[in-house]
């Protein structure tokens, strides 16, 4: 069994939507996209997320930011990497506007971005590192990360970062195994009230 890592295409939009939704919930009853796409069924949320991956505005959810892991022709995992100077809050709002999501967007995002960190604009950010059920411990996430770091190094990056929720122990342990270290942590009452998690943690890797 071999893992093939490739660049995502527009044809992967439905799969990316599934992984984005899975990542955003991360064991919670509701994640960011449940709040952005209120009164929507899971099927409707996935449809909107699929559209979000193909917008002209280059948000962090754009398919061009994603690598996909394939095993025997089946998609089994994703990893997103983006430049924070490009995938900004403003570009996210523009992308949401493109797909017709405008109601209370900024209010919801204000809560999401209430826990913020000072970030180097030349740092590469990782997000939506996910694998499908039943594929745990077969090296999928490690292969995705290795490929992404290799590409980042070739582009001149030397620091990679990711933001996870405080209390996401599995994610924290996995990133630590890959060499990431906790560099900052912010607790936010509004974030806790909305998402049920104390706040966010910034983890970094120099490579």
């Amino acid at each position: 069994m071999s893992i093939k890592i490739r660049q995502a295409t527009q044809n992967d939009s439905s799969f990316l939507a599934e992984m984005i939704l899975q990542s955003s919930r991360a064991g919670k009853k509701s994640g960011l996209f449940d709040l952005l796409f209120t009164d929507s069924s899971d099927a409707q949320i996935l449809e909107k997320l699929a559209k979000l991956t193909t917008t002209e505005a280059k948000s962090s959810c754009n398919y061009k930011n994603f690598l996909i892991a394939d095993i025997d022709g089946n998609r089994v995992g994703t990893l997103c990497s983006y430049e924070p100077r490009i995938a900004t809050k403003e570009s996210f709002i523009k992308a949401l506007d493109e797909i017709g999501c405008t109601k209370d967007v900024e209010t919801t995002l204000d809560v999401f971005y209430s826990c913020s960190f000072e970030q180097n604009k030349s740092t590469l950010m990782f997000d939506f590192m996910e694998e499908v059920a039943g594929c745990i411990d077969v090296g999928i996430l490690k292969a995705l990360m290795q490929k992404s770091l290799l590409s980042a190094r070739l582009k001149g990056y030397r620091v990679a970062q990711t933001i996870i929720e405080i209390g996401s122990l599995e994610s924290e342990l996995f990133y630590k195994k890959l060499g990431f270290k906790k560099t900052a942590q912010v607790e936010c009452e509004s974030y806790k009230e909305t998402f049920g998690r104390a706040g966010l943690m910034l983890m970094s890797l120099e490579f």
Side-chain angles (χ1 to χ4, degrees), residues 30-159:
S30 299
L32 173 63
F33 298 102
D34 295 282
L35 299 180
L36 288 173
F37 308 140
T38 53
D39 301 322
S40 296
S41 65
D42 278 8
Q44 291 170 323
I45 293 174
L46 288 171
E47 182 180 352
K48 292 173 182 177
L49 279 173
K51 292 178 180 178
L52 190 64
T53 67
T54 61
T55 59
E56 289 294 322
K58 297 300 185 290
S59 75
S60 59
C61 297
N62 193 278
Y63 76 92
K64 293 181 180 179
N65 296 327
F66 282 83
L67 291 179
I68 286 183
D70 288 332
I71 295 180
D72 298 330
N74 297 311
R75 294 171 293 198
V76 294
T78 60
L79 177 61
C80 169
S81 61
Y82 64 90
E83 297 176 87
R85 65 183 180 84
I86 295 175
T88 61
K89 177 182 176 182
E90 290 70 29
S91 66
F92 195 18
I93 291 172
K94 288 180 181 178
L96 289 168
D97 186 59
E98 278 188 51
I99 65 171
C101 179
T102 56
K103 185 179 179 181
D104 298 326
V105 163
E106 294 204 39
T107 301
T108 301
L109 289 182
D110 282 344
V111 174
F112 185 73
Y113 285 100
S114 60
C115 298
S116 59
F117 302 94
E118 286 233 4
Q119 292 174 271
N120 188 321
K121 295 300 182 181
S122 61
T123 296
L124 192 67
M125 295 298 299
F126 287 132
D127 204 350
F128 306 124
M129 183 170 64
E130 291 292 321
E131 57 193 347
V132 299
C135 291
I136 299 173
D137 295 328
V138 296
I140 293 168
L141 300 182
K142 185 175 181 180
L144 283 163
M145 183 64 72
Q146 288 174 338
K147 178 66 174 180
S148 190
L149 288 174
L150 176 61
S151 299
R153 189 177 290 111
L154 292 174
K155 293 177 182 177
Y157 289 102
R158 292 295 178 267
V159 178

